[in-house]
């Protein structure tokens, strides 16, 4: 099963072999801009997804959903998405700080206080923070001084990783290709 979000709609599911996508979350157009950024939990049936509120002055929302039901449970109010981190935590960014918090897989409720993992972690807007974790516990994140990964400085580096020179001025470079 593949899950994906779409602009202005629910999280969708489609068989990995192809077929017709079908909604897997209930979507209230009057409240949400979209349901997006779904990621599976280890059981392969539950997943986390980001709900972009149309009026996000109080933050957006992260829900736990299930392939077995369109019912979802609010897990966290936050500006950015959350991702599962083994064995039993979720990761999310709040005010530029990457945090980890224990998630009870039975109740889908957060336990304990969040623990600081890294500072100055960037975000790219629409709830996407600049971090990713794998099922074996590897964590990658992008630190930034400005808090927004849309501003970057291109530079030349040699094969040993030594910076040779800047290229141009800082700007909104995404997916640069030589």
């Amino acid at each position: 099963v593949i899950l994906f979000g779409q602009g202005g709609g629910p999280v969708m599911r489609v068989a990995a072999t192809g077929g017709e996508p079908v909604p897997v979350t209930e979507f209230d157009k009057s409240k949400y801009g979209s349901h997006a950024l779904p990621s599976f939990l280890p059981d392969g049936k539950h997943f986390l997804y980001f709900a972009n509120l149309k009026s996000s002055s109080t933050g957006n929302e992260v829900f736990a959903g299930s392939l077995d039901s369109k019912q979802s449970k609010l897990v966290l109010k936050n500006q950015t998405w959350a991702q599962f981190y083994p064995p039993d935590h979720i990761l999310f960014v709040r005010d530029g700080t990457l945090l980890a918090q224990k998630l009870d897989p039975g109740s889908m409720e957060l336990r304990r206080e969040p623990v600081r993992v890294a500072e100055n972690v960037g975000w790219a807007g629409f709830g996407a923070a600049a971090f990713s974790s794998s099922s074996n516990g590897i964590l990658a994140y992008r630190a930034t001084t400005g808090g927004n990964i849309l501003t970057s400085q291109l530079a030349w580096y040699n094969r040993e990783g030594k910076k040779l020179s800047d290229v141009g001025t800082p700007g909104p470079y995404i997916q640069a290709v030589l």
Side-chain angles (χ1 to χ4, degrees):
V1 173
I2 297 171
L3 296 178
F4 63 94
Q6 57 182 10
V11 171
M12 305 292 281
R13 79 183 269 177
V14 67
T17 55
E20 193 68 30
V22 295
V24 71
T25 60
E26 289 288 337
F27 184 72
D28 179 351
K29 280 186 175 181
S30 67
K31 186 174 181 182
Y32 297 104
S34 65
H35 289 172
L37 306 168
S39 62
F40 275 109
L41 295 172
D43 67 5
K45 289 187 178 192
H46 293 90
F47 57 92
L48 297 175
Y49 68 93
F50 179 75
N52 179 332
L53 288 166
K54 284 187 173 180
S55 172
S56 62
S57 61
T58 59
N60 294 303
E61 298 172 334
V62 174
F63 286 91
S66 172
L67 294 178
D68 299 331
S69 165
K70 287 189 181 179
Q71 297 282 324
S72 296
K73 180 168 185 170
L74 178 64
V75 174
L76 175 70
K77 285 189 174 279
N78 199 52
Q79 284 302 115
T80 70
W81 69 326
Q83 209 178 45
F84 182 77
Y85 187 72
D88 57 1
H89 284 74
I90 62 168
L91 297 171
F92 55 95
V93 173
R94 184 174 287 152
D95 297 326
T97 301
L98 180 61
L99 300 168
Q101 192 165 2
K102 186 172 179 62
L103 176 69
D104 180 323
S107 67
M108 294 296 169
E109 292 179 3
L110 296 176
R111 306 283 186 218
R112 302 186 189 138
E113 291 298 312
V115 175
R116 186 175 309 184
V117 176
E119 298 289 332
N120 300 316
V121 175
W123 62 278
F126 190 68
F131 73 90
S132 184
S133 65
S134 68
S135 60
N136 67 356
I138 294 175
L139 169 64
Y141 65 90
R142 181 172 177 188
T144 177
T145 56
N148 185 340
I149 67 169
L150 294 179
T151 301
S152 301
Q153 174 63 59
L154 298 177
W156 287 109
Y157 287 82
N158 67 17
R159 292 182 187 269
E160 289 74 42
K162 180 181 176 198
K163 184 176 179 179
L164 301 175
S165 65
D166 287 338
V167 177
T169 59
Y173 304 110
I174 298 174
Q175 299 178 347
V177 177
L178 293 177

